[in-house]
Structures are given as C-alpha cells and as structure tokens.
C-alpha cells in the first residue's frame, strides 16, 4: 500500500480562541441566512425619522435617509459573507492548481507561472484591485473579480512550495513508478497532503477578502447604493460625523467577522506547527498574512 | 560544477571586478528588476486600456481640444492614433527619456505629481514602521518570554485584532473622536491651513521644516502625521508581533543565549545584545514585507485624512481612467518594492557576515 501522510487537525477545536472564532463565525453565517425573516424593517425602506440615535425602537439608530441601521447591518452579512467565501474558493482553486502544476512539472512551466505570480505580488493588493475594479466599472461583482486577481498568487506560492517538498517523497515516486499519470499522481498522492496548509491559508484569507471587498466598497468601487453593504455604509457616515452610529456599527460587524476567521485560522496554523517535522514544513509554508511571502520564503 | 579544489578555495587575488560574486549578483538583480518593471508597465497598460475613453479631450481640456493643431501635436507625441502595441512602445521610449506623460486628472506632468505624492506617503509609511517596530518588538519579546502564559495569549489576541480591524473604519473613528469630538488632533491634510509648506528639499514636510529651522511648522507637520500613523501602525503591529515572537523563541533556544544567561548578564543585556540581535534577520525581512502592506493600507487611510499621497493619487487616477497617472503609480510602486527588497538583502549581509550575496 502507498502510505499517505495526513496532517492532523482535530485538536484545534479545543483551544478557547478557536471555539470563540467558530461560535462568532457560525453566528454571522446564521444571521446571513435568516436575517430577512426577522429584521424589523426592510433594509432599504426609508420609513423612519432621520438620524435617530440608537434606542429601544431602533437598536443602532437610523441613517440620513431614515433607514434602520440594525436591519441594514444584518442584511449586510448576507451580502459580504457569501461573496467572501466564493472569492476565497475561486482563488484557492485557481492558485492551488497553478501552483501544484508549477511545482510538479518544474522547468519552464514553473518559471513562467512563478514570474506571473511575482508580477501580481509586486503590486500592493489594494492599489491593484482598485485599478482593476475602476477599469471594469464600479460594481460588487467587478470588485470580487478584482479581489480574485490579487488573491490567487498566495495559494500558488504555498502549494508550489509544498509540492516541491512532496514530489521527492518515496510514496509519490512509488506512484510514478507504478505508472500513475501526472494528473493521478497530483490528485491522489499530492493534493490530499497539501490540503491542510491550503485550508489554513483559506481560513485566514476569508478575513482578508472581507477587508478588501468592504474597502473597495468604501472607496465607491464595490457595492453601489442603496445596497446594504458594510463598507459602503461606513463611507456614507462621512457626511454625518455627529451621527456616529451610522459608521461605527458596520465597522464592528466587519471587525468581528474577520476576527472570528483569523482566530480559527491562527489556531489551525498552531496545530500544524509543533507536531512532526512534516507538519512544521507545512506550517512554514503558510504566510502570516495571506498574499505575503511565507515564513520559509522570507527567512531562508 | 567542478570539484577542482583550487577553484573552490576562496581566493581574493584571482577575483577580478567583473567576476566578483557581488558584481554578478548586482547585475542579475538589475536584470530581473528591469524585467519586473517591464511587466508592471505591460500589466498597467493592458488594465487601463480595458475601457476605451477619450483621453485627448480629457488631457487637453475642452478649449485646446478644439484646436486641430494642438490635438495633432498631442496625438503625435503620445502616438494615440497608433495601434495599442505601438502606443505601448511609444510610452516606453518616452519613459526612458523621463517623460511619464501628462496626468488627465491634474493636468500636470505625472513626474511632477509623483514628486509630491511619493514623499507624502513614504513619510506616513516610515512613521508607521518606526512606531510599530517599537511596539511589536516589545510585545513580541514579552510574549516569547512568557510563552504559553496569559501575557502570551493577550499579545496574540491583540495582534490578531490588529490584523482584523478595517483600517478605513478605524481612520474614520479616530478622525471623528480625536479631531471633531475631543479636538486634540489636527484635521485632515499634511498641514494646518494657516501654514504654508516648507521649501522643498526632501519632500518630507517634517524634515524640510527642520532643515529650515521652523519649529512651529515641524510640530504642526508631526501632529498631522499622528493619526494616520497610529491607524496604519495597528495593522503592522499585528503583522510584525507574531513574526517577532517566533523569531525570539527560536533564538531563546540557542546555546549562546543560554551561555550569556549562565555567565550572569542582566536580563536587559541578554535581550538587547543577544536575543534581539540574533532575531534581527527575520525581523528585518518582515519589516520589508510590512512596508509593502503599508503601501496597500495607505490608500484607504489617505482617503479618510485627505492626505495628498500616492494612495490618493492612485485612487483619483484609477477612478478617472487616467492612463498616464495609473502607469506612473504602477511604476513608482514597483520601484519602491524592488528598492525595499534590495535594501533588505544588503542589510542581511551587514547584520550577519555569514550571509553572502552572490
């Protein structure tokens, strides 16, 4: 039998930080799914007095056109969270595929793919995403496209460096000697073993994706009014600084969601780190911040 | 690769300038840098041509664009009647002569705009790097020494919060609280309206005021830096602290640190002279990375504080599809990225004599 090394993850769920992260993240997902059923007002209904401070009737006050901030905030979860998850899934698929192919085949394929990766990473993410979003025209969909363009290279780098260390392992060589095609070798021998670190990166990347999407919307390059999106809600607060509640609550919403995913991702990374040599290798391939070089690339 | 022993032995006499490893390293480095910058221009050029606009009217203004001679001269100068690949080559040859074109948004030469915007942003970035280094070296070292204890956990949560806060939101909250409500911080921009900018030497207001001996201006410029620097630092602190903790932990395990403790050196001496010195290489690397992420974060923070820097310029150029402006930003950012990496690599050799470039 071919021995597969699996990277253990289970105990991650026992650390307090991870538990807090999972609870907050699940709560937000639940809100995103069920919000339309129980929010007190329609998110775009301008039916309340303007600029009301938070009170019993309107928990988080009303904005400058008389919309309920609380209802908009809860609706915002169903705008941001599914988009961020989709964005991460697509970047992960593109990046991991390209990185694995580059690492497995090496040679000019590797050279070309990695130079493209370098090129994308030479731009600061927000500036590049901003230029792409502006060229495509401001819309939430285009902001997601722009975010995908800037976020796949992190996965390509991580999966490439993992594949490079795996392809010389005996069980992979054994598979090749048995006549596995490159596709089969990649899918059955290699992918299961790079999944752990890639999943950790993806968890941390959900937070980055939410920050990037809401940042683009804040600049007016993502969600357009009257969409109840957190970043654009914050930017609408600029006109009414005295009504602090318009901007403060959406920011707290972003902070808690991102923090939850970072708690989870950071705890998962810890699990990969101290165990065996192989797991340490894997952990070193995960950058502290998605999109940045990994610890191994940076230090060695 | 030969195994000839006489070749392998390091010999200073036999290495001439052309063959010296440093020179060839620099050459290779220069070559790949030029390639990367070329790539950057191609990417930005392709991006900004996704949407066709009418750059001529926008660049010359309504009046001049009615004058056929002016339009013809402009079109010829920038090759706007040519197919895109030819336009690109025209841009490149203008670039080599130091002409980045004229911004469609400001109407000024892009080089002149960048000469103002770049120092404004670098000033915030350097401030944020210094503040966050100070904070995160302290926090990271503390966490490493108290590994697994409450302090370690608290530092961990603090740095994760730093990575999770939306900077544009924090900037707004800080602006509202410290300027509008409490009135202890100055408003937006680089200077109070009643002051005029110092004579330009470096482009950094703080430094230029100092060189000019103007203490009032210096204090004002510093005060205007405070909030943007504070806001940007929080993210960088989050980024740096985890790295520094890990690096310090690795050094703490080393024999030479144990020896230093064993011979009775004070705790502070050990930290400063042995631990931090030993951890300086990874710290330096991550500072280089942090600089890149600062350039990214500054876009959103500059938007809030109306800071006339690279981020604001990039935003204005991008949203008005100003090709020369966007290309200029792309190039400058690429150059900064390469320079920072290069300086980090050079400092490696300086901090650790075992590191050889080549």
């Amino acid at each position: 039998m071919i021995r597969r090394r699996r990277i253990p993850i289970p105990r991650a769920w026992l650390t307090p930080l991870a538990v807090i992260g999972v609870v907050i993240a699940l709560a937000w997902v639940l809100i995103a799914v069920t919000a339309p059923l129980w929010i007190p007002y329609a998110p775009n209904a301008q039916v309340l007095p303007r600029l009301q401070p938070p009170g019993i009737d309107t928990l988080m006050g009303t904005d400058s056109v008389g919309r309920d901030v609380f209802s908009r905030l809860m609706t915002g979860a169903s705008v941001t969270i599914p988009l961020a998850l989709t964005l991460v899934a697509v970047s992960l698929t593109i990046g991991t595929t390209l990185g694995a192919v580059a690492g497995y085949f090496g040679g000019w394929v590797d050279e070309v793919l990695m130079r493209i990766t370098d090129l994308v990473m030479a731009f600061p993410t927000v500036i590049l995403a901003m230029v792409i979003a502006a060229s495509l025209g401001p819309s939430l969909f285009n902001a997601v496209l722009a975010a995908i363009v800037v976020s796949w290279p992190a996965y390509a780098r991580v999966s490439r460096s993992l594949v490079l260390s795996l392809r010389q392992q005996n069980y992979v060589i054994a598979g090749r000697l048995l006549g596995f095609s490159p596709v089969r070798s990649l899918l059955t021998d290699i992918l299961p073993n790079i999944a752990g670190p890639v999943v950790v990166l993806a968890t941390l990347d959900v937070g980055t994706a939410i920050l990037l999407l809401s940042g683009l919307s804040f600049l007016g390059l993502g969600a357009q009014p009257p969409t109840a999106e957190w970043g654009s809600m914050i930017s609408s607060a600029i006109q009414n600084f005295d009504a602090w509640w318009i901007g403060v609550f959406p920011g707290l919403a972003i902070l808690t969601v991102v923090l939850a995913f970072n708690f989870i991702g950071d705890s998962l990374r810890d699990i990969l780190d101290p165990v065996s040599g192989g797991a340490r290798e894997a952990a070193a391939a995960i950058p502290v911040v998605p999109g940045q070089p990994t610890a191994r690339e940076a230090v060695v | 690769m030969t195994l000839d022993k006489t070749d392998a032995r390091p010999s200073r006499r036999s290495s001439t300038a052309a063959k010296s490893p440093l020179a060839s390293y620099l050459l290779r480095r220069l070559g790949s840098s030029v390639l990367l910058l070329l790539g950057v221009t191609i990417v930005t050029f392709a991006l900004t041509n996704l949407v066709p606009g009418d750059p001529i009217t926008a660049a010359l203004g309504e009046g001049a664009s009615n004058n056929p001679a002016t339009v013809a001269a402009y079109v010829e100068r920038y090759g706007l009647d040519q197919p895109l690949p030819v336009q690109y080559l025209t841009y490149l040859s203008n670039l080599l002569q130091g002409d980045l074109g004229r911004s469609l948004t400001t109407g000024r030469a892009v080089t002149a705009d960048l000469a103002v915007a770049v120092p404004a942003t670098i000033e915030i970035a350097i401030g944020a790097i210094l503040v966050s280094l100070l904070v995160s070296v302290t926090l990271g070292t503390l966490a490493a020494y108290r590994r697994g204890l409450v302090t370690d956990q608290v530092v961990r949560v603090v740095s994760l919060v730093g990575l999770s806060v939306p900077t544009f939101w924090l900037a707004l909250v800080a602006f509202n609280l410290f300027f509008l409500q409490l009135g202890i911080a100055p408003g937006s921009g680089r200077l109070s309206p009643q002051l005029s900018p110092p004579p330009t030497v470096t482009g950094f207001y703080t430094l230029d005021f100092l060189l000019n001996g103007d203490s009032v201006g210096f204090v004002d410029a510093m005060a205007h830096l405070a909030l943007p620097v504070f806001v940007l630092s929080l993210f960088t602190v989050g980024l740096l602290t985890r790295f520094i903790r890990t690096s310090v932990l690795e050094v703490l395990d080393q024999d030479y640190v144990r020896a230093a403790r064993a011979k009775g050196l004070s705790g502070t001496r050990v930290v400063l002279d042995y631990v931090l010195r030993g951890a300086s290489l990874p710290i330096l690397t991550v500072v280089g990375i942090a600089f890149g992420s600062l350039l990214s974060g500054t876009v959103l923070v500059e938007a809030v504080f109306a800071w006339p820097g690279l981020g604001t310029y990039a935003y204005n150029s991008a949203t008005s599809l100003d090709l020369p402006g966007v290309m200029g930003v792309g190039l400058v950012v690429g150059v900064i990225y390469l320079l920072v990496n290069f300086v980090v690599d050079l400092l490696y050799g300086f901090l650790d004599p075992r590191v050889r470039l080549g």
Side-chain angles (χ1 to χ4, degrees):
Chain A
M1 274 306 283
I2 297 160
R3 188 177 63 94
R4 283 202 195 131
R5 272 189 319 156
R6 288 205 182 265
I7 295 154
I9 290 181
R11 278 181 165 258
W13 308 110
L14 298 178
T15 72
L17 226 49
V19 172
I20 297 172
V22 169
V23 168
I24 300 178
L26 281 181
W28 273 115
V29 169
L30 197 69
I31 289 173
V33 175
T34 63
L37 302 175
W38 48 262
I39 48 172
Y41 300 95
N44 293 329
Q46 306 177 7
V47 292
L48 295 161
R50 296 169 181 191
L51 300 176
Q52 284 234 314
I56 308 232
D57 187 35
T58 52
L59 277 176
M60 297 179 183
T62 63
D63 66 7
S64 57
V65 291
R67 293 176 298 196
D68 180 34
V69 173
F70 176 75
S71 302
R72 288 176 66 72
L73 193 83
M74 296 297 133
T75 311
S78 65
V79 176
T80 303
I81 295 175
L83 279 182
L85 293 176
T86 315
L87 190 167
V88 169
V90 174
S91 318
L92 183 152
T93 312
I94 299 175
T96 310
T97 311
L98 292 181
V101 166
Y104 190 84
F105 293 104
W108 66 268
V109 180
D110 185 28
E111 194 63 30
V112 169
L113 286 175
M114 283 305 114
R115 289 300 79 78
I116 296 175
T117 317
D118 285 348
L119 190 57
V120 178
M121 288 186 127
F123 288 96
T125 44
V126 176
I127 293 187
L128 183 58
M130 191 172 76
V131 171
I132 298 172
S135 314
L136 295 174
S139 81
L140 201 47
F141 180 74
N142 288 342
V144 173
L145 282 186
I148 290 174
V149 174
V150 299
S151 41
W152 66 267
Y155 297 95
R157 281 223 185 156
V158 168
S159 55
R160 173 182 175 270
S161 69
L162 289 168
V163 169
L164 277 182
S165 64
L166 281 176
R167 56 183 290 219
Q168 296 308 328
Q169 299 278 326
N170 283 335
Y171 75 93
V172 178
I173 296 173
R176 276 211 295 273
L177 291 177
L178 283 172
F180 283 13
S181 68
V183 175
R184 179 162 176 200
S185 173
L186 270 172
L187 285 181
T188 62
D189 287 343
I190 290 185
L191 273 189
N193 290 303
I194 67 174
V198 170
V199 166
V200 176
L201 177 60
T203 318
L204 294 165
D205 207 22
V206 173
T208 316
I210 292 175
L211 288 178
L212 184 57
L213 277 182
S214 56
L216 287 174
S217 296
F218 174 76
L219 291 174
L221 295 170
Q224 298 299 306
T227 311
E229 195 276 341
W230 293 333
S232 51
M233 286 170 77
I234 296 175
S235 82
S236 75
I238 294 179
Q239 285 116 37
N240 288 293
F241 270 116
D242 284 333
W244 55 268
W245 54 89
I246 300 178
V248 166
F249 291 118
L252 289 176
I254 299 176
L255 173 61
T256 48
V257 181
V258 175
L259 196 59
F261 281 100
N262 280 343
F263 276 176
I264 301 172
D266 202 58
S267 310
L268 286 177
R269 181 170 43 199
D270 259 13
I271 297 303
L272 285 178
D273 190 23
V275 208
S276 65
R280 181 183 284 273
E281 278 279 290
I286 304 165
V288 171
V289 166
Q292 303 295 352
T294 64
R296 188 194 308 159
E297 284 166 351
V299 177
V300 177
Chain B
M1 191 75 180
T2 59
L3 289 174
D4 189 342
K5 275 188 180 169
T6 49
D7 276 7
R9 196 179 58 216
S11 154
R12 275 193 191 155
R13 276 184 202 163
S14 67
S15 68
T16 60
K19 279 182 188 167
S20 86
L22 186 64
S24 78
Y25 166 79
L26 288 176
L27 268 180
R28 262 188 293 129
R29 190 83 195 224
L30 193 68
S32 65
S33 304
V34 170
L35 274 182
L36 187 81
L37 287 181
L38 210 60
V40 166
T41 59
I42 294 175
V43 169
T44 16
F45 190 83
L47 275 177
T48 32
N49 276 295
L50 282 177
V51 177
D54 184 11
I56 302 169
T57 321
L60 295 177
E62 210 55 56
S65 60
N66 288 332
N67 181 347
T70 322
V71 172
Y74 184 83
V75 164
E76 198 192 348
R77 177 152 183 220
Y78 294 106
L80 295 181
D81 52 346
Q82 303 290 322
L84 282 184
V86 180
Q87 278 193 38
Y88 174 70
L89 290 178
T90 314
Y91 178 85
L92 271 192
S93 79
N94 283 333
L95 171 70
L96 289 177
Q97 298 159 36
D99 179 4
L100 289 175
R102 194 161 283 278
S103 162
L104 309 186
T105 23
T106 64
R108 303 196 306 153
V110 170
T111 41
D113 285 342
L114 289 175
V116 178
V118 171
T121 291
I122 302 274
E123 200 170 27
I124 304 189
I126 289 180
I129 287 279
L130 291 180
V131 170
S132 39
L133 252 184
L134 202 68
V135 176
S136 54
V137 164
T138 315
L139 288 182
T141 313
L142 203 66
Y145 267 83
R146 301 256 189 283
R147 180 187 198 173
L149 302 177
V150 179
T151 322
D152 189 16
Q153 287 298 319
V154 171
V155 169
R156 180 178 182 175
V157 171
V158 167
S159 58
L160 285 174
V161 168
L163 290 174
S164 308
V165 172
T167 32
F168 54 94
W169 172 74
L170 187 67
L172 270 185
V173 171
F175 183 77
N176 194 356
L177 184 66
F178 293 111
F179 172 59
L180 295 174
Q181 311 299 330
L182 300 176
I184 51 175
S188 49
R190 296 180 77 180
L191 274 185
S192 300
Q194 68 271 20
L195 293 175
S196 49
T200 307
V201 184
T202 59
F204 303 129
Y205 277 13
T206 46
L207 215 57
D208 285 352
F209 274 126
L210 268 190
L211 290 174
N212 206 30
D214 181 347
S215 61
V216 178
F218 175 74
V219 170
D220 193 66
M222 283 297 265
H224 276 82
L225 271 172
L227 278 189
V229 162
F230 156 73
V231 168
L232 271 177
S233 300
L234 194 63
F235 182 86
T236 321
V237 165
L239 179 61
L240 294 179
T241 305
R242 295 303 307 277
F243 248 110
I244 290 171
R245 175 183 174 274
T246 315
S247 321
V248 169
L249 272 181
E250 271 166 22
V251 176
L252 282 180
D253 274 353
Q254 304 281 322
D255 285 340
Y256 70 85
V257 174
R258 205 165 300 133
R261 281 175 168 167
K263 75 179 180 187
L265 290 180
S266 76
T268 338
R269 275 294 296 277
V270 174
V271 170
L272 292 178
D273 289 355
Y274 293 81
V275 176
L276 285 182
R277 209 192 143 100
S280 60
L281 275 195
I283 293 178
L284 183 68
T285 311
V286 74
V287 166
I289 297 171
F291 207 86
S293 80
L294 273 177
L295 285 181
S296 210
T298 187
V299 179
L300 294 160
V301 173
E302 284 180 12
V304 174
F305 290 104
W307 194 266
L310 202 55
T312 307
Y313 193 67
Y315 173 74
N316 290 336
S317 313
T319 47
S320 53
L321 303 175
D322 174 359
L323 172 74
V326 172
M327 297 275 285
V329 171
L331 270 177
V332 157
V333 162
V335 169
I336 294 176
Y337 173 87
L338 290 169
L339 274 181
V340 167
N341 276 320
F342 185 60
V343 169
V344 164
D345 284 0
L346 285 185
L347 281 175
Y348 262 28
F350 174 72
L351 284 172
D352 186 347
R354 288 171 303 181
V355 174
R356 294 200 174 252
L357 305 172

